[in-house]
Amino acid sequence: MPRVLLIGYAPDAVDFSDPGLPPGIDAGKIAAGIEVGLQQMRDRGWQADFCAIRPDETIKEMVTQQLASARYDCVVIGGGVRLSSTHLEEFEVVINAVGEGAPGTPIAFNTRPEDSAGAAARWLLRL
């Protein structure tokens, strides 16, 4: 059974003043979207985990600990982590932590939490 890790900001850690966010988005909508994405993965018969990060100095530690807890077949990095130009440094930390903690593991990118399963499928179907 494939195992997928979704990495994204904890819904309560999102900066809702970021002009790059869609209008009307809030922590509840983000949390619901994450759960939809994880459930879609489970519906495909995959194990799915979420690594909630915060835009601070704990990112590398959080990702490293999560990757050490299981062997993942794909890591999906959420759009909230990679699309905001104000969080470029945090995105780099995530990418490098995944490269160090899970070398050779495919990395996929979603555009929103609800399409995380599709992002993972692009890579899992190649294995």
Side-chain angles (χ1 to χ4, degrees):
M1 171 187 313
R3 187 167 196 153
V4 179
L5 176 62
L6 171 60
I7 300 173
Y9 285 120
D12 68 334
V14 173
D15 175 7
F16 294 104
S17 68
D18 185 338
L21 289 175
I25 194 78
D26 61 30
K29 290 178 183 175
I30 292 172
I34 291 167
E35 189 50 45
V36 166
L38 294 172
Q39 188 58 52
Q40 288 173 346
M41 291 181 204
R42 294 178 190 122
D43 291 346
R44 291 176 184 235
W46 307 339
Q47 291 183 324
D49 298 320
F50 179 60
C51 179
I53 60 172
R54 298 187 164 293
D56 61 25
E57 68 282 346
T58 65
I59 291 175
K60 183 175 183 180
E61 178 184 347
M62 296 299 298
V63 173
T64 300
Q65 286 179 0
Q66 186 68 47
L67 291 170
S69 73
R71 185 191 158 283
Y72 291 97
D73 299 292
C74 185
V75 175
V76 178
I77 299 175
V81 175
R82 66 182 177 81
L83 293 176
S84 173
S85 62
T86 60
H87 293 292
L88 180 60
E89 186 176 341
E90 289 89 351
F91 175 53
E92 292 172 343
V93 171
V94 170
I95 290 291
N96 286 305
V98 172
E100 291 171 14
T105 300
I107 299 172
F109 301 104
N110 69 14
T111 57
R112 59 189 196 287
E114 299 87 355
D115 71 3
S116 298
R122 289 193 299 268
W123 291 96
L124 291 174
L125 297 176
R126 294 178 187 192
L127 301 178

